[in-house]
Amino acid sequence: MTARVGIGYDSHRFAPGGPLILGGVRIPFDAHLHGHSDGDAIAHAVTDALLGAAAAGDIGEMFSDQDPANRGRDSMVMLRAAVARVRARGFAPQQVDVAVVSEQPRIASHRDAMRAAVAAAIGVAVDAVSIKGKTNEGMGWIGRGEGLACMAVATVTPLASPRTG
Ligand code: MG
């Protein structure tokens, strides 16, 4: 069974007023992630990683930011829709690993809740989801606290072929 890997990246700018939604978790914070949807950069990076592993398009093509229907959309619902597309292309998500680069908020105390939410959305065990927080050592736009970035890799394997005969 050959595993395939995909990569995803997303960034969002902070805007005044919380809560901040990340990894499907509402984090008490004085800013939120500005975006057409709810701005959940973990969900968006994981979505693109899974779609990439299946060579099944990308989040911008699935959920246009020009479409009013996507305004304020729950990104975990978008992630579930992407998983459905990946499965329709014949692949099952196996595992994801995420790096969050942010000066604030620190995510350590929310990590397990995020892992559980992402695992539920993509249909894997919690121990198949890794989420790690990093700062940017004060450098650049992340260091100045203008926003945060997420990187994700995901693996998928072919779905078992239906038995015939
Ligand atoms: Mg995004």
Side-chain angles (χ1 to χ4, degrees), residues 10-125:
D10 195 36
S11 60
H12 281 265
R13 182 182 294 276
F14 291 132
L20 185 149
I21 298 173
L22 196 60
V25 173
R26 295 169 73 87
I27 298 174
F29 193 55
D30 59 7
H32 65 279
L33 292 171
H34 180 72
H36 190 69
S37 68
D38 62 12
D40 188 334
I42 287 182
H44 297 173
V46 170
T47 296
D48 261 352
L50 286 167
L51 290 171
D58 63 68
I59 191 171
E61 163 258 316
M62 277 192 82
F63 301 100
S64 168
D65 62 7
Q66 306 299 311
D67 185 346
N70 293 327
R71 182 169 295 281
R73 189 186 274 274
D74 179 343
S75 296
M76 300 304 277
V77 173
M78 297 160 66
L79 175 55
R80 287 175 185 271
V83 169
R85 178 187 278 201
V86 166
R87 296 187 71 88
R89 299 288 174 97
F91 297 101
Q94 294 297 324
Q95 164 263 336
V96 300
D97 185 22
V98 181
V100 181
V101 190
S102 179
E103 301 297 328
Q104 294 290 335
R106 300 295 170 93
I107 67 160
S109 61
H110 306 284
R111 183 210 311 256
D112 287 342
M114 292 174 175
R115 292 175 63 212
V118 172
I122 68 177
V124 299

Side-chain angles (χ1 to χ4, degrees), residues 2-7 48-55 95 152-157:
T2 304
R4 296 166 56 131
V5 63
I7 185 170
D48 261 352
L50 286 167
L51 290 171
Q95 164 263 336
V153 291
T155 53
V156 302
T157 52

